[in-house]
Amino acid sequence: MSELEKLATETRNQRTMALDDMDIMEVLQTMNDEDKNVPLAIEKALPQIKNVIEQIIQTFRKKGRLFYIGAGTSGRLGVLDAAECVPTFGTEPEMVQGLIAGGMKAMTVAVEGAEDSQELAKEDLSKALLSQDDIVVGIAASGRTPYVIGGLDYAKEVGATTASLACNKKAQISQHAQFPIEVEVGPEILTGSTRLKSGTAQKLVLNMLSTVSMIGIGKVYKNLMVDVRPTNEKLVERSKRIIMQATDCSYEQADQTFYRAEENVKLAIVMILTGADKNEAKEKLIAGNGFVRNTL
């Protein structure tokens, strides 16, 4: 038996040996039952996830950047999570970046051989000017992707913090990271198709990493996205609702203050809650390290 065949992500699911002979409802019920195991598997890894989040928060506080690196589905999920940080938390695109083996072309088309190259990851991170102030999170369902291993090793050479996310226990990439996360969800209903349970697990963990880290640097007040970027009409109206929800003010006051604050939701909230003008509110936020609660 090869090393690959020993991985839980590659073994055959005994519940679906006749997958092609099941009717649609049987397949759906089986998929649903298997997916229920994902959050339970993640629960076991919460202490590991916490360790990584603490490192990401430290990185952000010293103006460092978060890099997700991966190949195939794992890489795509990293790119997706990074992209969503910009509108949700008002971050600059450089603050959270997703690197995928084969480049952005690999988001939609498989780039043959890219994931097998350790050197390619080093090149990608080098182009991004990776520094010791940054953190690199390597993502691989199998836990053995060469591109990810190469990236983690290069990050270690540079002095950056390293973390990993795998869907197998005793994963190879865990040996190359200071802060490994291992979420073993078991065999897929379709053997080896790690875009299924493994992909779901990775998405849920990435949700945790980015969201909780952003909470940790003041980009949330109560449970509101106070650093949201109003880049379209829908988000402009959502911004005004957030101001209303955070301050219990009227729509008219939210609307007026939103524009007085130059469409900065967090600034508008502090202006209303403290009675400060725009410049005073800015000073309060600086003094409060960006946390609305610290201005009150």
Side-chain angles (χ1 to χ4, degrees), residues 4 7 9-10 74 115 139-145 165-173 194 198 202:
L4 189 63
L7 302 178
T9 51
E10 299 297 324
S74 299
E115 72 174 69
I139 313 167
S142 67
R144 63 194 295 278
T145 306
L165 171 56
C167 293
N168 284 296
K169 294 292 185 183
K170 299 181 180 178
Q172 283 186 36
I173 62 171
T194 52
S198 294
Q202 291 173 329

Side-chain angles (χ1 to χ4, degrees), residues 83-270:
E84 291 289 355
C85 287
V86 176
T88 307
F89 300 109
T91 62
E92 295 301 322
E94 295 77 23
M95 184 174 173
V96 184
Q97 299 182 45
L99 300 179
I100 181 171
M104 284 302 130
K105 176 185 175 183
M107 285 295 292
T108 55
V109 180
V111 178
E112 299 300 330
E115 72 174 69
D116 295 328
S117 172
Q118 292 194 21
E119 192 63 29
L120 190 57
K122 178 178 179 179
E123 291 174 12
D124 290 345
L125 288 168
S126 179
K127 286 177 185 174
L129 303 178
L130 183 74
S131 79
Q132 61 184 8
D133 292 331
D134 301 325
I135 182 169
V136 175
V137 179
I139 313 167
S142 67
R144 63 194 295 278
T145 306
Y147 177 84
V148 174
I149 291 172
L152 290 172
D153 287 349
Y154 175 69
K156 182 180 178 181
E157 288 177 26
V158 171
T161 305
T162 55
S164 61
L165 171 56
C167 293
N168 284 296
K169 294 292 185 183
K170 299 181 180 178
Q172 283 186 36
I173 62 171
S174 297
Q175 307 306 312
H176 297 260
Q178 297 164 282
F179 301 94
I181 300 169
E182 294 179 344
V183 180
E184 189 172 78
V185 295
E188 303 288 0
I189 68 155
L190 183 62
T191 307
S193 183
T194 52
R195 67 187 182 86
L196 301 176
K197 284 191 300 184
S198 294
T200 300
Q202 291 173 329
K203 178 67 171 78
L204 292 178
V205 173
L206 292 175
N207 286 349
M208 291 176 169
L209 296 184
S210 55
T211 304
V212 182
S213 297
M214 294 298 172
I215 293 169
I217 59 170
K219 289 189 170 292
V220 172
Y221 174 54
K222 297 185 175 179
N223 62 350
L224 299 170
M225 298 185 291
V226 293
D227 268 329
V228 64
R229 283 193 177 180
T231 54
N232 58 43
E233 188 176 341
K234 179 190 77 174
L235 291 177
V236 166
E237 288 307 308
R238 177 180 289 170
S239 297
K240 295 173 186 177
R241 288 201 310 275
I242 289 172
I243 295 168
M244 293 168 64
Q245 291 165 335
T247 65
D248 290 326
C249 74
S250 66
Y251 179 86
E252 290 71 24
Q253 186 177 8
D255 179 70
Q256 292 170 8
T257 312
F258 175 65
Y259 291 111
R260 287 213 314 274
E262 298 176 355
E263 300 188 359
N264 184 314
V265 176
K266 182 188 282 183
L267 191 60
I269 289 169
V270 174

